[in-house]
């Protein structure tokens, strides 16, 4: 069970640079929009309520979010075309 949890964590760990899902802890999209202050480029809506798919630098985005949202990897199977656009 612990190994499975580790695999899920690795699969969702955000990349240093590239497409990521910003998931606001409050459920409000306004918290996810803070990522744009960190230089994120908006790719589209995310798969979870209030979430956004963005591309950018993980360190800069995390600082801009101020603990109000989570950054997750944006695999194409969850985020579709928006995540694929972030790979360019």
């Amino acid at each position: 069970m612990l190994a499975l949890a580790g695999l899920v964590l690795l699969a969702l760990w955000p990349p240093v640079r590239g497409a990521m899902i910003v998931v606001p802890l409050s459920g409000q999209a306004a918290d996810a929009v803070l990522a744009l202050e960190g230089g994120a480029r908006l790719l589209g809506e995310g798969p979870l309520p209030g979430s956004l798919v963005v591309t950018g630098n993980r360190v800069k985005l995390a600082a801009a979010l101020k603990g109000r949202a989570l950054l997750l990897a944006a695999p194409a199977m969850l985020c579709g075309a928006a995540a694929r656009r972030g790979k360019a």
Side-chain angles (χ1 to χ4, degrees), residues 7-53:
L7 289 174
V8 170
L9 181 64
L10 284 175
L12 294 176
W13 194 260
V16 172
R17 180 178 308 270
M20 292 172 252
I21 305 171
V22 182
V23 181
L25 296 176
S26 66
Q28 301 298 315
D31 287 342
V33 171
L34 289 172
L36 301 178
E37 294 177 13
R41 191 177 92 226
L42 181 63
L43 298 177
E45 292 183 347
L48 301 171
S51 67
L52 300 173
V53 180

Side-chain angles (χ1 to χ4, degrees), residues 37-73:
E37 294 177 13
R41 191 177 92 226
L42 181 63
L43 298 177
E45 292 183 347
L48 301 171
S51 67
L52 300 173
V53 180
V54 301
T55 187
N57 178 291
R58 180 181 65 205
V59 173
K60 290 180 181 179
L61 297 182
L65 292 171
K66 303 171 186 151
R68 296 173 68 177
L70 296 175
L71 285 174
L72 303 173

